Amino acid sequence: MSLNYKSYWRKSGLKGKWGNIFLERLSKHNPKNVLEIGVFCGVTARNICDFLYKKNNINFSYIGVDLFGSDKAQKKDEIEPTFLKNQKFSNLLKNIYYNYILKENLNSIESVKKLLKKYSQNIKLIAGDTNKVLKKIDLQKIDFVFLDGGHSYETVTNDLSILYASMKDQKKVILCDDYGKESHISEVEKAINDFTKKKNLKFNLIENRFVEIIT
Ligand SMILES: C[S@@+](CC[C@H](N)C(=O)[O-])C[C@H]1O[C@@H](n2cnc3c(N)ncnc32)[C@H](O)[C@@H]1O
């Protein structure tokens, strides 16, 4: 199956070659039920659903969790992309289209729902801070997680602890962004190092960016 991460004329956390590198990880592990923490404008979400649909037809599920504009529990969290605050685009046409014609906030739950409409029977979008909501989500079926939400030490540790508690010893996958030099956030690196050391877990560094933990 050819892997082609599409941008859907929106912003994505996985620009350029990174989208396809991400899809290669999905393809390698071939999951059916995926959780994404940090949905942003839904581009990776849509690519995950496109991939799962091609592989499994309608037998798949996607859960996406994001603040979607709601309040953060932790005061200190990732520095939000300025895009989230004022939705600026360097592309003038995009700026006119989204801000003046559609007047659409691409990081709103409504906008992401629209982008994922084709898969409405298979998806669930949850608005909230993972420090509060993650423990309430049923994670039993999930076999692949893309961890890319809050990037503070506290949030990454919280998220990993909850995920690991329900995925432990099942050879499931937690793919974490922003660990390696290519997109480095020091709090993310420290949280992953401390957590994996505490639980005696090995991990793989992928293309000097992602970390893949097999539970
Ligand atoms: C880097 S972006 C995610 C990019 C997305 N995975 C992609 O590939 O396009 C991080 C997202 O995490 C969300 N976020 C930040 N802190 C969060 C938290 N504590 N709980 C849930 N979502 C959070 C932000 O609203 C933002 O949309």
Side-chain angles (χ1 to χ4, degrees):
M1 194 174 106
S2 74
L3 300 172
N4 182 18
Y5 185 96
K6 296 199 193 114
S7 74
Y8 288 97
W9 224 50
R10 289 173 165 236
K11 296 231 176 192
S12 165
L14 300 177
K15 292 194 196 85
K17 67 174 184 178
W18 296 109
N20 281 349
I21 291 171
F22 173 82
L23 290 180
E24 278 164 20
R25 303 324 296 169
L26 270 189
S27 180
K28 177 173 189 318
H29 297 291
N30 206 12
K32 275 195 173 175
N33 304 295
V34 173
L35 166 68
E36 183 182 22
I37 295 184
V39 177
F40 192 35
C41 303
V43 177
T44 300
R46 174 69 200 240
N47 278 274
I48 292 171
C49 291
D50 291 342
F51 174 90
L52 294 174
Y53 180 68
K54 272 191 209 141
K55 284 274 184 175
N56 308 292
N57 204 297
I58 56 166
N59 302 309
F60 75 90
S61 71
Y62 167 91
I63 301 178
V65 188
D66 198 290
L67 293 166
F68 290 122
S70 60
D71 288 339
K72 283 183 290 210
Q74 299 278 349
K75 275 195 196 124
K76 191 165 167 289
D77 211 333
E78 70 161 346
I79 302 153
E80 287 186 38
T82 46
F83 168 75
L84 287 183
K85 293 195 184 101
N86 52 19
Q87 190 160 286
K88 276 207 175 123
F89 299 92
S90 50
N91 179 323
L92 182 66
L93 283 179
K94 268 190 199 176
N95 199 33
I96 294 170
Y97 182 65
Y98 287 120
N99 288 333
Y100 295 96
I101 299 175
L102 293 187
K103 296 194 170 83
E104 182 169 330
N105 170 6
L106 298 181
N107 178 236
S108 64
I109 197 163
E110 295 77 19
S111 176
V112 174
K113 260 189 200 153
K114 207 161 84 179
L115 180 65
L116 302 183
K117 199 170 164 213
K118 177 175 173 194
Y119 304 113
S120 58
Q121 300 304 309
N122 303 77
I123 65 147
K124 190 171 177 186
L125 294 175
I126 297 165
D129 185 326
T130 50
N131 291 288
K132 285 186 183 161
V133 300
L134 192 57
K135 53 181 175 288
K136 298 180 193 155
I137 301 172
D138 182 2
L139 300 169
Q140 288 311 310
K141 270 191 357 188
I142 299 297
D143 34 37
F144 186 104
V145 179
F146 182 34
L147 182 55
D148 191 22
H151 291 68
S152 69
Y153 182 88
E154 292 76 14
T155 300
V156 175
T157 305
N158 168 78
D159 294 356
L160 281 175
S161 309
I162 295 169
L163 294 170
Y164 187 65
S166 69
M167 298 170 97
K168 191 174 178 268
D169 298 330
Q170 295 174 63
K171 301 255 175 286
K172 293 179 169 185
V173 183
I174 306 173
L175 184 73
C176 312
D177 198 9
D178 303 315
Y179 179 95
K181 276 195 214 121
E182 293 280 352
S183 164
H184 181 250
I185 299 181
S186 52
E187 294 210 22
V188 172
E189 183 190 5
K190 186 165 171 20
I192 293 171
N193 286 346
D194 289 353
F195 185 80
T196 50
K197 194 170 170 200
K198 193 168 128 198
K199 301 288 179 191
N200 204 14
L201 286 167
K202 289 201 177 73
F203 60 80
N204 296 320
L205 179 62
I206 312 289
E207 303 275 348
N208 251 316
R209 174 168 176 164
F210 304 104
V211 149
E212 201 167 72
I213 302 170
I214 311 288
T215 64

